[in-house]
Amino acid sequence: MNLPCPRSPGLCLPLVLACVAAAAAAEAGLQDWPASTRDTRPWSYWWWLGSAVDTNNLAQELRRYAAAGWGGVHIIPIYGAKGWEDRYIDYLSPRWMDMLQFTVREARRLDLGVDMTLGSGWCFGGPTVTDLEANARLAVQTIDVPAGSRLTRTFDPASTHGLVAVPPDGPPVELTSGLRPDGTVDWQPKAAAWRVYALSQKPSGRTVKRAAPGGQGHMLNLIYPDAVRHYVERFTRAFAGFEGPRPRALYHDSYEYVSDWAPDFLARFAQRRGYPLTAELPALLGAADDDRSARVKSDYRETVADIMAEDSLPIWAGWARDHGFLTRNQAHGSPGNLLDLYAVADIPETEMFHRDRSLLVSKFASSSAHVLGKPRVAAETGTWLKEHWTETLADLKALLDDLFLAGVNHVFFHGTCYSPDEAPWPGWLFYASTQMNPRNPIWRDVPALAAYIARCQSLLQAGHPDPDLLVYWPIHDLWHDPKGLVQPLTVHRRAWLERQPLGRTASWLWEHGFGFDYISDRQLARLTVRDRRLVAPGGAYRALVVPECHLMPLPTLQRLRQAAQAGATVLFENQLPSDVPGWNRLDSRRQQFRSVLASLQFATVSNSPLRLARVGAGRVVVGDLAAALSLAAVPRETLNAHPGVHGLRRRVDKTFHYFIAHRGDQPLDGWVPLAVHAAAVVIMDPLTGQTGLGAVRAAADGRSEVYLQLTPGASLILRVLDHAEPRVKPWAYWTPDGAPVELRGDWRIEFLGGGPSLPPAVTTADLGSWTDLGGDAFQAFAGTARYTTTFEAPPPGAGAWALDLGRVAQSARVRLNGRELGSLILAPYRLLLPGLEPGANLLEVEVTSVAANRIRDLDRRRVVWRSFHDINFVNLDYKPFDASAWPLTPAGLLGPVHLVPMRAKTPP
């Protein structure tokens, strides 16, 4: 049982940020939470509709965010609200830059940070992007020329990227250099019929989504580095006269471009792959389902990935660094190696979207950060978590816990709209969002969630991640596909992971308690070996796992062998790779590949399904993964032996931090083994701030165990010490000690805030939804009501009493005899009482609802509140939003309310 007690919440380079966080954690008392900072507190995406902002409302909104416990905002200009066009400000105009400057200064004064998108809406693009620079598709003309005929078709020399004649058999003929200024070419086949391919590009038609005034235009082509180089010039001019503090970071949203070609793609392909793509056009453009086509298309996909990772995005990131900004990048959706693309930014950023919530996908962002030593991992948080106005703080906490388990430590709510006070309720809104703004009733108890986030992130940003394994991503098996061209790797359609051996391996490791980070071919080059550990810029790992794969680049296989030679352990699941990817110099590369494999002299491990090769000071193991991990003595966490319980481990010097979340449905009350030695464990409840020294013992197998009580939906942080710590007060364990006592009697219900109007106060002996109290005023109301009752203290006998509110819709603040006891945002709505008066006791419970019934009322009365340009306001299915047919949503204190006798528990 997790019984909270009341407790008040309490531009650097990335590596410096990590040192600051670690120092703050070290200086704090072992039972204390580190002081919150801008980076440890939650941030919000902050949409400026039409950029129709003014200094008075900007300052007022920022003060509200600061008061709620926010750490910063991320400015994104988008389309505007109807009827407010006279207030629109063109993006990057002098007036817009003045508003940005005011915002950054005012935010700094309030100890808030500011980030911004390098553009409006999403993705990169706008009015300066030309047709040539726009995201583009390959355009192909095919002309069949009979034997003896001449090629009579004309071609635009300026837009033709390649002109190639291909015979039925034999090598193709390059015609591009013979293209005349008038568009003709002097060529005819001597024998047989030839096919001529003319390659060009055309804009895909994808424009900036949800663009703001002054930000409309083509989306950029990230496969064309010159387009990115030209794009940032606009911002060089805009910031040329900018005075004072600048935004902290510049943001690039998830990849929603539609591009598969660029003006210089043929040249870049030849440079990177070592052969002209024009020599293999039938394989690239045909429908053959053969190995040659798959190899050529793999080379094509690798080139696209390389251009983005090494050329295009580094131009943006380099420009940002040169101008004093950090960078945040959402790589998902890209047709490239996500690990390399996340790595371009200072702060990799993932997202979970409605039901598209995969910890294993989010780990691509955190893995990139962990391997390369980037201390922050951000997440777009709450994007359409549920249908509008129905999301609760408990829903958000569950999402946050998933993100924290995935390695995220810097959350950005998605999000918050700037809205002037003069705009009628519910104000200005963005459709793909949890409405995390001061006009939503749930905002009243948001400070409790913000404090939870700050406490968690203060420790999740300290030190370094501590997984034991690296897991190689064999992406060339994915790229080796004769169908299609680019392969977008999104968070929505995840066959690229879940139907690949990598996904199965990652899932098995996660479910069996093995901590791991993914690693790419490119990142393998950053590894060294020291003391038999694989050392990356961000940490050291016990072993590297290679999931089942068929194809592996020769340099990767050579690096893995070299790592083993230096003392590392490399584990191949079930099999060794059998071939190299790609087309160029295939026979030569295959011969070298087989030579490396042949140098591994395997022997069967006795009483085991494994084969082992000793290589220098290290070893290469092939076979069953579980057996291989056991042979390598890789420890596993067994927290998840209790269904739904998972953990994440970090290290700060000799101290380990565990974040543990209960995502199951049965309470945990028992001894939990840890994979690290624990002389003492400080248990820390990030929701309440309560801390104490937990009970620790050595199990029969020698492992350290800590006694935990955890209810479904709850979470804890463990600070695991290598020394005894008598100065920390003990953690209090409690257990029920008898039958609960229901609080019967009258409840006075007074409506404190919300709308559309405050219903009259009522007195009732029967708790239930306030929508059942009768009348439209109660059914339409959304906001906060105070429930007040008096009760006599039960007879003495219990060691303590817990207050159990029963069902609450949806959050509550509790006050007993005038003393604030804290906020409750998730079930069980229960807290330990500090003590009861011997006679009458006054209990006040302030319950806040979601906004669903008030929105329902607006739509039933056909009040126009959805009045925005562009997509306006839609539901989860992208249909026009209409809540008029919604059933009433329960609201208030539904109870029953009990006093539960409790006694202190000594762990067995």
Side-chain angles (χ1 to χ4, degrees):
M1 183 177 300
N2 192 34
L3 292 171
C5 68
R7 169 88 175 237
S8 299
L11 171 66
C12 295
L13 293 175
L15 290 178
V16 175
L17 291 172
C19 295
V20 171
E27 291 174 2
L30 292 172
Q31 76 278 13
D32 296 332
W33 299 93
S36 69
T37 66
R38 292 177 192 168
D39 278 7
T40 62
R41 299 192 295 270
W43 291 45
S44 268
Y45 284 71
W46 193 27
W47 296 288
W48 285 8
L49 272 71
S51 297
V53 298
D54 62 76
T55 56
N56 288 337
N57 279 297
L58 284 170
Q60 178 74 335
E61 292 279 81
L62 289 170
R63 286 193 293 270
R64 290 167 178 150
Y65 308 152
W70 255 228
V73 292
H74 164 191
I75 297 170
I76 308 179
I78 59 171
Y79 56 84
K82 294 178 181 177
W84 299 78
E85 289 80 1
D86 61 336
R87 297 196 186 188
Y88 290 0
I89 303 173
D90 277 353
Y91 179 58
L92 294 187
S93 66
R95 188 178 170 206
W96 195 95
M97 296 301 292
D98 287 344
M99 293 298 103
L100 175 64
Q101 187 177 70
F102 173 85
T103 299
V104 177
R105 289 183 184 275
E106 183 66 10
R108 290 284 183 93
R109 188 183 69 80
L110 296 168
D111 195 25
L112 295 171
V114 177
D115 288 357
M116 65 177 285
T117 296
L118 202 69
S120 78
W122 70 91
C123 302
F124 285 177
T128 62
V129 177
T130 66
D131 285 355
L132 188 67
E133 298 165 341
N135 52 175
R137 286 195 178 279
L138 172 63
V140 182
Q141 296 182 62
T142 57
I143 305 100
D144 291 324
V145 183
S149 300
R150 303 190 70 82
L151 179 60
T152 59
R153 184 80 59 89
T154 60
F155 308 92
D156 179 6
S159 63
T160 300
H161 300 169
L163 191 64
V164 182
V166 179
D169 295 298
V173 175
E174 172 66 57
L175 303 178
T176 314
S177 60
L179 192 59
R180 299 181 178 123
D182 64 357
T184 62
V185 60
D186 185 15
W187 175 84
Q188 70 180 78
K190 296 179 179 178
W194 288 51
R195 173 164 288 182
V196 174
Y197 292 87
L199 308 183
S200 60
Q201 73 174 43
K202 59 181 179 181
S204 67
R206 176 64 58 90
T207 58
V208 175
K209 287 190 173 183
R210 318 309 177 212
Q216 302 94 332
H218 288 301
M219 276 191 195
L220 202 58
N221 188 351
L222 285 195
I223 309 174
Y224 187 29
D226 284 352
V228 182
R229 191 172 290 108
H230 178 230
Y231 179 72
V232 297
E233 291 174 359
R234 183 187 188 197
F235 298 91
T236 301
R237 296 189 296 270
F239 279 97
F242 196 87
E243 297 179 356
R246 296 189 172 203
R248 179 195 67 158
L250 302 178
Y251 169 79
H252 178 233
D253 210 329
S254 58
Y255 189 103
E256 295 188 27
Y257 307 92
V258 178
S259 292
D260 59 23
W261 200 254
D264 59 354
F265 187 81
L266 289 173
R268 291 183 181 273
F269 181 96
Q271 179 185 28
R272 290 184 175 276
R273 303 282 82 85
Y275 69 95
L277 185 56
T278 50
E280 296 295 336
L281 290 182
L284 179 72
L285 303 175
D289 186 11
D290 58 17
D291 185 66
R292 181 170 185 164
S293 297
R295 289 182 176 279
V296 170
K297 290 189 178 183
S298 177
D299 283 341
Y300 161 83
R301 291 164 184 143
E302 186 171 5
T303 302
V304 169
D306 287 348
I307 290 171
M308 289 192 295
E310 296 182 0
D311 299 325
S312 296
L313 284 173
I315 291 171
W316 159 68
W319 182 91
R321 282 192 299 272
D322 291 344
H323 289 79
F325 303 102
L326 298 176
T327 49
R328 288 171 37 220
N329 184 38
Q330 289 192 353
H332 43 277
S334 300
N337 192 311
L338 300 186
L339 294 170
D340 298 331
L341 298 174
Y342 281 123
V344 171
D346 299 299
I347 306 173
E349 178 162 321
T350 185
E351 70 172 291
M352 291 185 179
F353 184 98
H354 188 38
R355 296 185 182 91
D356 297 323
R357 290 165 60 166
S358 169
L359 275 73
L360 299 180
V361 169
S362 288
K363 280 181 69 66
F364 279 80
S366 61
S367 293
S368 185
H370 295 170
V371 168
L372 298 179
K374 299 172 186 288
R376 301 290 179 271
V377 182
E380 177 184 319
T381 305
T383 307
W384 257 344
L385 182 59
K386 291 168 60 178
E387 189 55 273
H388 296 293
W389 314 110
T390 67
E391 310 97 328
T392 69
L393 299 183
D395 294 329
L396 287 163
K397 181 188 178 297
L399 171 64
L400 289 163
D401 289 350
D402 281 350
L403 291 167
F404 291 153
L405 288 171
V408 168
N409 60 11
H410 191 22
V411 298
F412 284 73
F413 281 117
H414 196 274
T416 306
C417 271
Y418 165 95
S419 186
D421 283 355
E422 53 268 35
W425 194 88
W428 293 357
L429 304 166
F430 179 66
Y431 68 98
S433 166
T434 293
Q435 305 302 330
M436 187 59 78
N437 65 62
R439 294 162 294 284
N440 191 340
I442 66 172
W443 185 263
R444 188 173 193 268
D445 288 330
V446 151
L449 186 65
Y452 171 78
I453 294 168
R455 292 186 186 114
C456 289
Q457 294 190 158
S458 69
L459 293 177
L460 293 175
Q461 290 178 10
H464 304 279
D466 193 43
D468 292 303
L469 296 172
L470 287 169
V471 178
Y472 169 69
W473 184 10
I475 195 170
H476 291 86
D477 276 2
L478 180 69
W479 284 340
H480 187 84
D481 185 342
K483 298 183 290 295
L485 288 178
V486 293
Q487 297 173 325
L489 309 182
T490 75
V491 301
H492 311 292
R493 291 170 292 279
R494 302 186 294 273
W496 60 269
L497 173 64
E498 294 169 354
R499 296 182 185 176
Q500 293 287 315
L502 173 65
R504 294 191 291 272
T505 299
S507 180
W508 186 91
L509 290 169
W510 172 253
E511 292 301 329
H512 287 80
F514 291 98
F516 66 91
D517 285 322
Y518 304 113
I519 191 167
S520 70
D521 294 279
R522 184 177 277 106
Q523 291 167 357
L524 281 171
R526 305 287 300 275
L527 295 180
T528 59
V529 179
R530 186 168 61 246
D531 298 329
R532 300 185 181 275
R533 298 289 184 102
L534 291 146
V535 181
Y541 301 82
R542 292 175 183 265
L544 185 144
V545 173
V546 180
E548 285 187 8
C549 67
H550 170 56
L551 301 169
M552 178 178 284
L554 174 62
T556 294
L557 182 64
Q558 292 170 330
R559 289 186 183 114
L560 294 181
R561 192 193 185 287
Q562 291 163 4
Q565 181 80 29
T569 296
V570 181
L571 310 176
F572 286 87
E573 186 176 10
N574 296 330
Q575 65 185 42
L576 291 168
S578 57
D579 205 349
V580 293
W583 181 247
N584 192 37
R585 297 176 46 249
L586 183 56
D587 290 341
S588 172
R589 290 186 295 119
R590 275 176 168 164
Q591 184 177 358
Q592 295 179 70
F593 190 85
R594 291 165 183 160
S595 176
V596 176
L597 290 179
S599 73
L600 302 174
Q601 300 298 310
F602 286 98
T604 301
V605 179
S606 61
N607 301 316
S608 170
L610 302 175
R611 293 184 296 144
L612 184 148
R614 298 286 181 183
V615 184
R619 54 191 171 175
V620 174
V621 182
V622 181
D624 175 74
L625 182 56
L629 292 168
S630 177
L631 178 70
V634 178
R636 59 180 286 246
E637 298 288 357
T638 55
L639 294 164
N640 56 357
H642 187 93
V645 176
H646 290 279
L648 175 79
R649 189 178 73 231
R650 293 181 66 88
R651 185 168 189 160
V652 183
D653 296 325
K654 296 181 179 180
T655 299
F656 295 92
H657 291 165
Y658 279 78
F659 173 79
I660 299 174
H662 193 343
R663 308 294 288 112
D665 56 11
Q666 295 299 317
L668 166 63
D669 190 344
W671 290 100
V672 173
L674 303 176
V676 299
H677 171 69
V681 175
V682 179
I683 301 175
M684 313 180 78
D685 185 339
L687 193 57
T688 68
Q690 179 184 5
T691 64
L693 197 64
V696 175
R697 74 178 186 185
D701 62 0
R703 299 181 75 183
S704 298
E705 294 184 334
V706 59
Y707 198 88
L708 297 180
Q709 294 176 314
L710 206 59
T711 54
S715 51
L716 291 172
I717 288 177
L718 307 182
R719 183 175 272 165
V720 180
L721 311 176
D722 67 346
H723 61 277
E725 188 49 61
R727 295 171 296 175
V728 179
K729 69 181 187 304
W731 178 262
Y733 297 97
W734 295 93
T735 191
D737 188 28
V741 177
E742 185 174 356
L743 295 188
R744 298 180 181 274
D746 288 340
W747 291 84
R748 176 73 171 170
I749 307 175
E750 300 169 278
F751 294 87
L752 306 180
S757 61
L758 297 183
V762 298
T763 300
T764 181
D766 299 317
L767 289 175
S769 174
W770 67 54
T771 59
D772 296 332
L773 293 175
D776 291 343
F778 294 101
Q779 293 187 352
F781 179 75
T784 302
R786 180 169 59 226
Y787 291 71
T788 305
T789 192
T790 58
F791 64 92
E792 294 293 322
W801 291 92
L803 176 69
D804 189 326
L805 297 179
R807 188 178 173 197
V808 174
Q810 296 294 328
S811 62
R813 298 182 187 179
V814 180
R815 187 183 303 112
L816 180 66
N817 298 323
R819 179 179 175 182
E820 299 286 348
L821 299 188
S823 299
L824 300 174
I825 64 171
L826 75 158
Y829 293 90
R830 182 182 301 171
L831 48 71
L832 198 67
L833 297 178
L836 297 176
E837 297 294 334
N841 289 264
L842 177 67
L843 176 64
E844 298 169 281
V845 183
E846 295 179 359
V847 178
T848 300
S849 72
V850 296
N853 292 334
R854 187 172 179 183
I855 291 293
R856 173 183 179 271
D857 172 68
L858 289 180
D859 283 349
R860 285 166 63 87
R861 293 190 287 117
R862 298 187 178 182
V863 175
V864 177
W865 59 272
R866 299 176 298 276
S867 187
F868 310 102
H869 288 290
D870 202 290
I871 196 172
N872 200 348
F873 196 83
V874 294
N875 65 17
L876 274 172
D877 298 319
Y878 277 82
K879 306 296 184 183
F881 182 92
D882 183 2
S884 62
W886 283 7
L888 287 168
T889 299
L893 179 59
L894 281 64
V897 178
H898 290 94
L899 294 177
V900 182
M902 307 294 292
R903 62 176 172 84
K905 177 176 182 177
T906 301

